[in-house]
Each structure stands twice: as C-alpha cells, then as structure tokens.
Amino acid sequence: MSTYKLLRSVLAQVNSKAYGDIVPLNAKAPYIRYSQIGGKVRNTVCKTSHIDGIVPLIQVDLHAESMEQRDSMLVSLDAAVKHYNDTNNGVFSLFEAPVVTYDDDTKTYKAILTYQIKA
C-alpha cells in the first residue's frame, strides 16, 4: 500500500477532511493536512536500490476551531495510529514530539506531528 493511501485510511478515522499536500482555500476547520517532508535511508544490502531503502517522514497537521477540538483530534489520531500499529506490525512511529500552536494564517488551533512510516 502506498504511503499516502495508508495515511488516508488512518486519518479518515480522525476526520473525513484529510488533504494530501495542499488544503483547498475554502476549507473550514477541522481538517488535516499531511505531506512527506523527507526521509532517511535505511541500511541496505547489495542488490537493493537506494530508493527501496527510504523510510518516509510524514508531517501531519491537525487544524481545529478550538484548543479542545484540537486536543480531541490528537487523542483520536493517537488511538487510530495505535490500532493500525497493533494490527500491522508497528508501521507508524512518532518521530518528534507534537508541536501545538495557534496558526495566525489559517486562524486555527494547530498540532504538528511527524511520523516515520515503515510501510
């Protein structure tokens, strides 16, 4: 399963409005934006291409109308990731602690999470 398909299946459990890379201008909170922001290369063996060794880093931004809604989305995301990991050999790994903030540009309460996905 592609990284983005996997993400959509997990994020849909948190909010049906989950956008890959670009959020439509008219989108109203709550919504989620996700994007691959990099990755690091795993140790590979001979006859394995460089691209096969990449473990993607994915940024997930939760946007909410209030702090309470953002916190609820964080709890839902944590549960969705835990459930997916329990049934799929720990594919998601939180890479950095979540950053919670207010986004002046979108006028939303935001949480930024970075995951490493070993799909």
Coordinates of all heavy atoms in Angstrom, one line a residue, residues 38-115:
G38 N 10.4 14.4 4.0 CA 11.8 13.8 3.8 C 11.8 12.4 4.2 O 10.8 11.7 4.2
G39 N 12.9 11.9 4.5 CA 13.1 10.5 4.9 C 14.6 10.3 5.1 O 15.4 11.0 4.6
K40 N 14.8 9.2 5.7 CA 16.2 8.8 5.8 C 16.4 7.4 5.2 O 15.5 6.6 5.2 CB 16.7 8.9 7.3 CG 16.1 7.8 8.2 CD 16.7 8.1 9.6 CE 16.5 6.8 10.5 NZ 17.1 7.0 11.8
V41 N 17.6 7.1 4.8 CA 17.8 5.9 4.1 C 18.2 4.8 5.1 O 19.1 5.1 6.0 CB 19.0 6.1 3.1 CG1 19.3 4.8 2.4 CG2 18.6 7.1 2.0
R42 N 17.6 3.7 5.1 CA 17.9 2.6 5.9 C 19.2 1.9 5.4 O 19.5 2.1 4.3 CB 16.8 1.5 5.9 CG 15.5 1.9 6.4 CD 14.7 0.6 6.5 NE 13.4 0.9 5.9 CZ 12.5 0.1 5.6 NH1 12.7 -1.2 5.8 NH2 11.3 0.4 5.1
N43 N 19.8 1.2 6.3 CA 20.9 0.4 5.8 C 20.4 -0.6 4.8 O 19.3 -1.2 5.0 CB 21.6 -0.4 7.0 CG 22.3 0.6 7.9 OD1 22.8 1.6 7.5 ND2 22.4 0.2 9.1
T44 N 21.0 -0.7 3.7 CA 20.5 -1.7 2.6 C 21.6 -2.7 2.3 O 22.8 -2.5 2.6 CB 20.2 -0.9 1.4 OG1 21.3 -0.2 0.9 CG2 19.0 0.1 1.6
V45 N 21.2 -3.8 1.7 CA 22.1 -4.8 1.3 C 22.4 -4.7 -0.2 O 21.7 -3.9 -0.9 CB 21.6 -6.2 1.7 CG1 21.4 -6.4 3.2 CG2 20.2 -6.4 1.0
C46 N 23.4 -5.4 -0.6 CA 23.6 -5.4 -2.1 C 22.4 -5.8 -2.9 O 21.5 -6.5 -2.4 CB 24.8 -6.3 -2.4 SG 26.3 -5.8 -1.7
K47 N 22.3 -5.3 -4.1 CA 21.2 -5.6 -5.0 C 19.9 -4.9 -4.5 O 18.8 -5.3 -4.9 CB 21.0 -7.1 -5.2 CG 22.2 -7.7 -5.8 CD 21.9 -9.2 -5.9 CE 23.2 -9.9 -6.4 NZ 23.1 -11.3 -6.5
T48 N 19.9 -3.9 -3.6 CA 18.8 -3.2 -3.2 C 19.0 -1.7 -3.6 O 20.0 -1.1 -3.3 CB 18.6 -3.2 -1.7 OG1 18.5 -4.6 -1.2 CG2 17.3 -2.5 -1.2
S49 N 18.0 -1.2 -4.4 CA 18.2 0.1 -4.9 C 18.1 1.1 -3.8 O 17.5 0.9 -2.7 CB 17.1 0.4 -5.9 OG 15.9 0.6 -5.3
H50 N 18.7 2.3 -4.0 CA 18.7 3.4 -3.0 C 17.3 3.8 -2.6 O 17.0 3.9 -1.4 CB 19.4 4.6 -3.6 CG 19.4 5.8 -2.8 ND1 20.1 6.0 -1.6 CD2 18.6 6.9 -2.9 CE1 19.8 7.2 -1.1 NE2 18.9 7.7 -1.8
I51 N 16.4 3.9 -3.6 CA 15.0 4.3 -3.3 C 14.3 3.3 -2.4 O 13.4 3.6 -1.6 CB 14.2 4.6 -4.6 CG1 13.0 5.4 -4.3 CG2 13.9 3.4 -5.3 CD1 13.2 6.9 -3.9
D52 N 14.6 2.0 -2.5 CA 13.9 1.0 -1.7 C 14.3 1.1 -0.2 O 13.6 0.6 0.6 CB 14.3 -0.4 -2.1 CG 13.7 -0.8 -3.5 OD1 12.7 -0.2 -3.8 OD2 14.3 -1.7 -4.1
G53 N 15.4 1.8 0.1 CA 15.8 1.9 1.5 C 15.3 3.1 2.2 O 15.6 3.4 3.3
I54 N 14.5 3.9 1.5 CA 14.0 5.2 2.2 C 12.8 4.9 3.1 O 11.9 4.2 2.7 CB 13.6 6.2 1.1 CG1 14.9 6.7 0.4 CG2 12.8 7.4 1.7 CD1 14.7 7.8 -0.6
V55 N 12.9 5.5 4.3 CA 11.8 5.4 5.2 C 11.2 6.8 5.3 O 11.8 7.7 5.8 CB 12.3 5.0 6.6 CG1 11.2 5.0 7.6 CG2 13.0 3.6 6.6
P56 N 10.0 7.0 4.8 CA 9.4 8.4 4.7 C 9.2 9.0 6.0 O 8.7 8.3 7.0 CB 8.1 8.2 3.9 CG 8.1 6.8 3.5 CD 9.1 6.0 4.2
L57 N 9.4 10.3 6.1 CA 9.0 11.1 7.2 C 7.7 11.9 6.7 O 7.8 12.5 5.7 CB 10.0 12.1 7.6 CG 11.3 11.5 8.3 CD1 12.3 12.6 8.6 CD2 10.9 10.8 9.5
I58 N 6.7 11.8 7.5 CA 5.4 12.4 7.1 C 5.0 13.4 8.2 O 5.0 13.1 9.4 CB 4.3 11.3 7.0 CG1 4.7 10.2 6.0 CG2 3.0 12.0 6.6 CD1 4.8 10.7 4.6
Q59 N 4.7 14.6 7.7 CA 4.2 15.6 8.6 C 2.6 15.6 8.6 O 2.1 15.6 7.5 CB 4.7 17.0 8.3 CG 4.2 18.1 9.2 CD 4.8 19.4 9.0 OE1 6.0 19.5 8.7 NE2 4.0 20.5 9.0
V60 N 2.0 15.6 9.7 CA 0.5 15.6 9.8 C 0.2 16.8 10.6 O 0.6 17.0 11.7 CB 0.0 14.3 10.5 CG1 -1.5 14.4 10.7 CG2 0.4 13.1 9.7
D61 N -0.6 17.7 10.0 CA -1.1 19.0 10.7 C -2.5 18.8 11.0 O -3.3 18.7 10.0 CB -0.8 20.2 9.8 CG 0.6 20.4 9.5 OD1 1.5 19.9 10.2 OD2 0.9 21.1 8.4
L62 N -2.9 18.9 12.2 CA -4.3 18.9 12.6 C -4.7 20.4 12.8 O -4.1 21.1 13.5 CB -4.5 18.2 13.9 CG -4.0 16.8 14.0 CD1 -4.2 16.2 15.4 CD2 -4.6 15.9 13.0
H63 N -5.8 20.8 12.2 CA -6.3 22.2 12.3 C -7.7 22.1 12.9 O -8.6 21.3 12.4 CB -6.4 22.9 10.9 CG -5.1 23.2 10.4 ND1 -4.5 24.4 10.5 CD2 -4.2 22.4 9.6 CE1 -3.3 24.3 9.9 NE2 -3.1 23.1 9.4
A64 N -8.0 22.9 14.0 CA -9.2 22.8 14.7 C -9.7 24.2 15.0 O -8.9 25.2 15.0 CB -9.1 22.0 16.0
E65 N -11.0 24.3 15.3 CA -11.6 25.6 15.7 C -11.3 26.1 17.1 O -11.4 27.2 17.4 CB -13.1 25.6 15.5 CG -13.5 25.4 14.0 CD -15.0 25.2 13.9 OE1 -15.7 24.7 14.8 OE2 -15.5 25.6 12.8
S66 N -10.9 25.1 17.9 CA -10.7 25.4 19.4 C -9.6 24.5 19.9 O -9.3 23.5 19.2 CB -11.9 25.2 20.2 OG -12.3 23.8 20.2
M67 N -9.0 24.9 21.0 CA -8.0 24.0 21.6 C -8.6 22.7 22.0 O -7.9 21.6 21.9 CB -7.4 24.7 22.9 CG -6.5 25.8 22.6 SD -5.6 26.5 24.0 CE -7.0 27.3 24.9
E68 N -9.8 22.7 22.5 CA -10.5 21.4 22.9 C -10.7 20.5 21.7 O -10.4 19.3 21.8 CB -11.8 21.7 23.6 CG -11.7 22.5 24.9 CD -11.5 24.0 24.8 OE1 -11.6 24.5 23.6 OE2 -11.2 24.6 25.8
Q69 N -11.1 21.1 20.6 CA -11.3 20.2 19.4 C -9.9 19.7 18.9 O -9.8 18.5 18.5 CB -11.9 21.1 18.3 CG -12.3 20.3 17.1 CD -13.0 21.2 16.0 OE1 -12.5 22.2 15.6 NE2 -14.2 20.8 15.6
R70 N -8.9 20.5 19.0 CA -7.5 20.0 18.6 C -7.1 18.9 19.5 O -6.6 17.9 19.0 CB -6.5 21.2 18.7 CG -5.1 20.7 18.3 CD -4.1 21.8 18.7 NE -4.1 22.1 20.1 CZ -3.7 23.3 20.6 NH1 -3.3 24.2 19.8 NH2 -3.8 23.5 21.9
D71 N -7.3 19.0 20.8 CA -6.9 18.0 21.7 C -7.7 16.7 21.5 O -7.1 15.6 21.6 CB -7.1 18.5 23.2 CG -6.1 19.6 23.5 OD1 -5.2 19.9 22.8 OD2 -6.3 20.3 24.6
S72 N -8.9 16.8 21.2 CA -9.8 15.7 20.9 C -9.3 15.0 19.6 O -9.2 13.7 19.5 CB -11.2 16.1 20.7 OG -12.0 15.0 20.3
M73 N -8.9 15.8 18.6 CA -8.3 15.2 17.4 C -7.0 14.5 17.6 O -6.7 13.4 17.1 CB -8.1 16.3 16.3 CG -9.4 16.8 15.7 SD -9.2 18.2 14.6 CE -8.5 17.4 13.2
L74 N -6.2 15.1 18.5 CA -4.9 14.4 18.9 C -5.2 13.0 19.6 O -4.5 12.1 19.2 CB -4.1 15.3 19.9 CG -3.3 16.4 19.2 CD1 -2.8 17.4 20.3 CD2 -2.1 15.8 18.4
V75 N -6.1 13.0 20.4 CA -6.5 11.7 21.1 C -7.0 10.7 20.1 O -6.6 9.5 20.1 CB -7.5 12.0 22.2 CG1 -8.1 10.6 22.7 CG2 -6.9 12.8 23.4
S76 N -7.8 11.2 19.2 CA -8.4 10.3 18.1 C -7.2 9.8 17.2 O -7.2 8.6 16.8 CB -9.4 11.0 17.3 OG -10.5 11.3 18.1
L77 N -6.3 10.7 16.8 CA -5.2 10.3 16.0 C -4.3 9.2 16.7 O -3.9 8.2 16.1 CB -4.4 11.5 15.6 CG -3.2 11.2 14.7 CD1 -3.6 10.5 13.4 CD2 -2.4 12.5 14.4
D78 N -4.0 9.5 18.0 CA -3.2 8.5 18.7 C -3.9 7.2 18.8 O -3.2 6.1 18.6 CB -3.0 9.1 20.1 CG -2.1 8.2 20.9 OD1 -0.9 8.0 20.5 OD2 -2.4 7.8 22.0
A79 N -5.2 7.1 19.0 CA -5.9 5.8 19.0 C -5.9 5.2 17.6 O -5.7 3.9 17.5 CB -7.4 6.1 19.5
A80 N -6.1 5.9 16.6 CA -6.1 5.4 15.2 C -4.7 4.8 14.9 O -4.6 3.7 14.3 CB -6.5 6.4 14.2
V81 N -3.7 5.5 15.2 CA -2.3 5.0 14.9 C -2.0 3.8 15.8 O -1.5 2.8 15.3 CB -1.3 6.1 15.2 CG1 0.1 5.6 15.2 CG2 -1.4 7.2 14.1
K82 N -2.4 3.8 17.0 CA -2.2 2.6 17.9 C -2.9 1.4 17.4 O -2.3 0.3 17.3 CB -2.6 2.9 19.3 CG -2.3 1.8 20.3 CD -2.7 2.1 21.7 CE -2.5 1.0 22.7 NZ -2.2 -0.3 22.3
H83 N -4.2 1.6 17.0 CA -4.9 0.5 16.4 C -4.2 0.0 15.1 O -4.1 -1.3 14.9 CB -6.4 0.9 16.1 CG -7.1 -0.2 15.4 ND1 -7.6 -1.3 16.1 CD2 -7.6 -0.3 14.2 CE1 -8.2 -2.1 15.3 NE2 -8.2 -1.5 14.1
Y84 N -3.8 0.8 14.2 CA -3.2 0.4 13.0 C -1.9 -0.3 13.3 O -1.6 -1.4 12.7 CB -2.9 1.6 12.1 CG -2.5 1.1 10.7 CD1 -3.5 0.9 9.7 CD2 -1.2 0.9 10.4 CE1 -3.2 0.5 8.5 CE2 -0.8 0.4 9.1 CZ -1.8 0.2 8.2 OH -1.5 -0.3 6.9
N85 N -1.1 0.2 14.2 CA 0.2 -0.4 14.6 C -0.1 -1.8 15.2 O 0.7 -2.8 14.9 CB 1.0 0.4 15.5 CG 1.7 1.5 14.8 OD1 1.9 1.5 13.6 ND2 2.2 2.5 15.6
D86 N -1.1 -1.9 16.0 CA -1.4 -3.2 16.7 C -1.7 -4.3 15.7 O -1.5 -5.5 15.9 CB -2.5 -3.1 17.7 CG -2.1 -2.3 19.0 OD1 -0.8 -2.1 19.2 OD2 -2.9 -1.9 19.8
T87 N -2.3 -3.9 14.6 CA -2.7 -4.9 13.6 C -1.8 -5.0 12.4 O -2.0 -5.8 11.5 CB -4.2 -4.6 13.1 OG1 -4.2 -3.3 12.6 CG2 -5.2 -4.7 14.3
N88 N -0.8 -4.1 12.3 CA 0.1 -4.1 11.1 C 1.6 -4.0 11.5 O 2.3 -3.3 10.8 CB -0.3 -2.9 10.2 CG -1.6 -3.1 9.6 OD1 -1.8 -3.9 8.7 ND2 -2.7 -2.5 10.2
N89 N 2.0 -4.6 12.6 CA 3.4 -4.7 12.9 C 4.1 -3.3 13.1 O 5.2 -3.1 12.7 CB 4.2 -5.5 11.9 CG 3.7 -6.9 11.8 OD1 3.4 -7.6 12.8 ND2 3.6 -7.5 10.6
G90 N 3.4 -2.4 13.7 CA 4.1 -1.1 14.1 C 4.6 -0.3 13.0 O 5.8 0.1 12.9
V91 N 3.8 0.0 12.0 CA 4.2 0.7 10.8 C 4.5 2.2 11.1 O 5.5 2.8 10.6 CB 3.1 0.6 9.7 CG1 3.4 1.6 8.6 CG2 3.0 -0.8 9.2
F92 N 3.7 2.8 12.0 CA 3.8 4.2 12.3 C 4.7 4.4 13.5 O 4.6 3.7 14.5 CB 2.5 4.9 12.7 CG 1.6 5.2 11.6 CD1 0.7 4.3 11.1 CD2 1.6 6.4 11.0 CE1 -0.1 4.6 10.0 CE2 0.8 6.8 9.9 CZ -0.1 5.8 9.4
S93 N 5.6 5.3 13.5 CA 6.5 5.6 14.6 C 6.5 7.2 14.7 O 6.9 7.9 13.8 CB 7.9 5.1 14.4 OG 8.7 5.4 15.4
L94 N 6.1 7.7 15.9 CA 6.2 9.1 16.1 C 7.6 9.5 16.1 O 8.4 9.0 16.9 CB 5.5 9.5 17.4 CG 5.2 11.0 17.6 CD1 4.3 11.6 16.5 CD2 4.5 11.2 19.0
F95 N 8.0 10.4 15.3 CA 9.4 10.8 15.1 C 9.8 12.0 16.0 O 11.0 12.0 16.4 CB 9.6 11.2 13.6 CG 11.1 11.3 13.2 CD1 11.9 10.2 13.1 CD2 11.6 12.6 13.0 CE1 13.2 10.3 12.7 CE2 12.9 12.7 12.6 CZ 13.7 11.6 12.4
E96 N 8.9 12.9 16.2 CA 9.2 14.0 17.1 C 8.0 14.3 17.9 O 6.9 14.0 17.5 CB 9.5 15.3 16.3 CG 10.8 15.2 15.5 CD 11.1 16.5 14.7 OE1 10.2 17.2 14.3 OE2 12.3 16.7 14.4
A97 N 8.2 14.9 19.1 CA 7.0 15.3 19.9 C 6.1 16.2 19.2 O 6.6 17.1 18.4 CB 7.5 15.9 21.2
P98 N 4.8 16.1 19.4 CA 3.9 17.1 18.7 C 4.1 18.5 19.1 O 4.5 18.8 20.3 CB 2.5 16.6 19.2 CG 2.7 15.2 19.7 CD 4.1 15.1 20.2
V99 N 3.9 19.4 18.2 CA 4.0 20.9 18.5 C 2.6 21.4 18.4 O 1.9 21.2 17.4 CB 4.9 21.6 17.4 CG1 4.9 23.1 17.6 CG2 6.3 21.0 17.4
V100 N 2.1 22.0 19.5 CA 0.8 22.6 19.4 C 0.9 24.1 19.4 O 1.7 24.7 20.2 CB -0.1 22.1 20.6 CG1 -0.4 20.7 20.4 CG2 0.6 22.3 21.9
T101 N 0.1 24.8 18.6 CA 0.2 26.2 18.4 C -1.1 26.8 17.9 O -2.0 26.0 17.5 CB 1.4 26.5 17.5 OG1 1.6 27.9 17.4 CG2 1.2 26.0 16.1
Y102 N -1.1 28.1 17.8 CA -2.2 28.8 17.1 C -1.6 29.3 15.7 O -0.6 29.9 15.7 CB -2.8 29.9 17.9 CG -3.9 30.6 17.2 CD1 -5.2 30.1 17.2 CD2 -3.7 31.8 16.5 CE1 -6.2 30.7 16.5 CE2 -4.8 32.5 15.8 CZ -6.0 31.9 15.9 OH -7.0 32.5 15.2
D103 N -2.3 29.0 14.7 CA -1.8 29.4 13.3 C -2.5 30.6 12.9 O -3.7 30.6 12.6 CB -2.1 28.2 12.3 CG -1.5 28.5 11.0 OD1 -1.1 29.6 10.7 OD2 -1.5 27.5 10.2
D104 N -1.8 31.7 12.9 CA -2.4 33.0 12.5 C -2.9 33.1 11.1 O -3.9 33.7 10.8 CB -1.4 34.2 12.7 CG -1.1 34.5 14.2 OD1 -2.1 34.5 14.9 OD2 0.0 34.8 14.5
D105 N -2.2 32.4 10.2 CA -2.6 32.4 8.8 C -4.0 31.7 8.5 O -4.8 32.3 7.8 CB -1.6 31.7 7.9 CG -0.2 32.4 7.8 OD1 -0.2 33.6 8.1 OD2 0.8 31.7 7.6
T106 N -4.2 30.6 9.2 CA -5.5 29.9 9.0 C -6.5 30.2 10.1 O -7.6 29.7 10.0 CB -5.2 28.4 8.9 OG1 -4.7 27.9 10.2 CG2 -4.4 28.0 7.8
K107 N -6.1 30.9 11.1 CA -6.9 31.2 12.3 C -7.5 29.9 12.9 O -8.6 29.8 13.3 CB -8.1 32.1 11.9 CG -7.7 33.4 11.2 CD -6.9 34.3 12.1 CE -6.6 35.6 11.5 NZ -5.2 36.0 11.4
T108 N -6.6 28.9 13.0 CA -7.0 27.6 13.6 C -6.0 27.2 14.7 O -4.8 27.7 14.7 CB -7.0 26.5 12.6 OG1 -5.7 26.4 12.0 CG2 -8.0 26.8 11.5
Y109 N -6.4 26.4 15.6 CA -5.5 25.8 16.6 C -4.9 24.6 15.9 O -5.6 23.7 15.4 CB -6.3 25.4 17.8 CG -6.8 26.6 18.6 CD1 -8.0 27.3 18.2 CD2 -6.0 27.2 19.6 CE1 -8.4 28.4 18.9 CE2 -6.4 28.4 20.2 CZ -7.6 29.0 19.9 OH -8.0 30.1 20.5
K110 N -3.6 24.5 16.0 CA -2.9 23.5 15.1 C -2.0 22.6 16.0 O -1.4 23.0 17.0 CB -2.0 24.3 14.1 CG -1.3 23.5 13.1 CD -0.5 24.5 12.2 CE 0.3 23.8 11.2 NZ 1.0 24.8 10.3
A111 N -1.9 21.4 15.5 CA -0.9 20.4 16.1 C -0.1 19.9 14.9 O -0.7 19.5 13.9 CB -1.6 19.3 16.8
I112 N 1.2 19.9 15.1 CA 2.1 19.4 14.0 C 2.7 18.1 14.6 O 3.4 18.1 15.6 CB 3.1 20.4 13.7 CG1 2.5 21.8 13.3 CG2 4.0 19.9 12.6 CD1 3.4 22.9 13.3
L113 N 2.6 17.0 13.8 CA 3.2 15.8 14.2 C 4.0 15.2 13.1 O 3.7 15.4 11.9 CB 2.1 14.7 14.6 CG 1.2 15.1 15.7 CD1 -0.1 15.6 15.1 CD2 0.9 13.9 16.6
T114 N 5.1 14.6 13.4 CA 6.0 14.0 12.4 C 6.1 12.5 12.7 O 6.4 12.1 13.8 CB 7.4 14.6 12.4 OG1 7.3 16.0 12.2 CG2 8.3 14.0 11.3
Y115 N 5.8 11.7 11.7 CA 5.8 10.2 11.8 C 6.8 9.7 10.8 O 7.0 10.2 9.7 CB 4.5 9.6 11.5 CG 3.4 9.9 12.5 CD1 2.5 10.9 12.4 CD2 3.3 9.0 13.6 CE1 1.5 11.1 13.3 CE2 2.3 9.2 14.6 CZ 1.4 10.3 14.4 OH 0.5 10.5 15.4

